[in-house]
Amino acid sequence: MASTLSWASSSCFRSHSFTTKNFTQAPIVNPVYVIVAQKKAKKTRKIILKEDVMDVGKKGQLLDVKAGFYRNFLLPSGKAQIVTTSLIKEMKMEDERIDAEKKRVKEEAQQLALIFETVGAFKVKRKIGKGKQIFGTVTAQDLVDIIKAQLQRDIDKRIVTIPDIRETGEYVAELKLHPDVSARVRLTVFGN
């Protein structure tokens, strides 16, 4: 009971009264199919570093890192945190606080520089040899001790830049109180 089907014997073909002439003359419209290739989704996370990470960034920096790097390294070691709006607000407040602190430190350094420059010359007494030669030299530590005795101010000897002093006379030393503020003080070296 096998029957064969053909286009000519089909009831669908007969009901539309297609003839071979009409069938061949009808315009053939090919449907256009657009194939869109989707990229693999990049899995990144927006993070804020809690501390300096070598070859990644500095503390407080906003970064996009791969999800696996964050999940496997940064999160377990506590070096980063996912960005949230509240965290961004906290960071802005912290930045404002740090800026205010930097401004206050700079103003204090400017006031201290004004004090040092209005004092006049600091006098240093040394044993004298032949002519104007002194025994030894005047060092940054000597200047720090004199400032502490006269002005009751503690300063670090590392901020003092002093010329090589081996003779009596007047010299100028520089105190680097802040990266933007420095004070020039005069030193008078005399013999006893």
Side-chain angles (χ1 to χ4, degrees), residues 66-83:
K66 299 247 177 172
F69 180 60
Y70 171 73
R71 183 179 56 246
N72 297 326
F73 176 69
L74 295 174
L75 182 64
S77 61
K79 295 182 179 186
Q81 192 173 1
I82 294 276
V83 174

Side-chain angles (χ1 to χ4, degrees), residues 79-160:
K79 295 182 179 186
Q81 192 173 1
I82 294 276
V83 174
T84 60
T85 54
S86 62
L87 193 59
I88 290 175
K89 286 179 186 177
E90 287 177 22
M91 280 185 55
K92 284 181 183 177
M93 288 175 49
E94 183 71 16
D95 288 342
E96 290 171 1
R97 187 189 64 76
I98 289 171
D99 289 342
E101 180 68 20
K102 285 181 182 177
K103 186 176 179 183
R104 185 188 63 78
V105 168
K106 185 176 179 180
E107 287 174 358
E108 284 180 7
Q110 288 172 339
Q111 290 173 354
L112 197 57
L114 185 64
I115 290 170
F116 283 136
E117 290 176 358
T118 57
V119 165
F122 291 103
K123 296 180 180 170
V124 181
K125 190 186 282 190
R126 288 283 186 255
K127 283 186 180 180
I128 214 166
K130 292 182 182 178
K132 291 182 162 187
Q133 292 285 328
I134 60 172
F135 288 110
T137 62
V138 178
T139 63
Q141 185 62 49
D142 295 330
L143 181 59
V144 168
D145 293 339
I146 292 167
I147 290 172
K148 185 171 183 172
Q150 289 184 7
L151 300 176
Q152 289 79 36
R153 299 272 182 177
D154 284 328
I155 60 170
D156 191 6
K157 72 177 184 177
R158 292 175 287 189
I159 67 168
V160 177

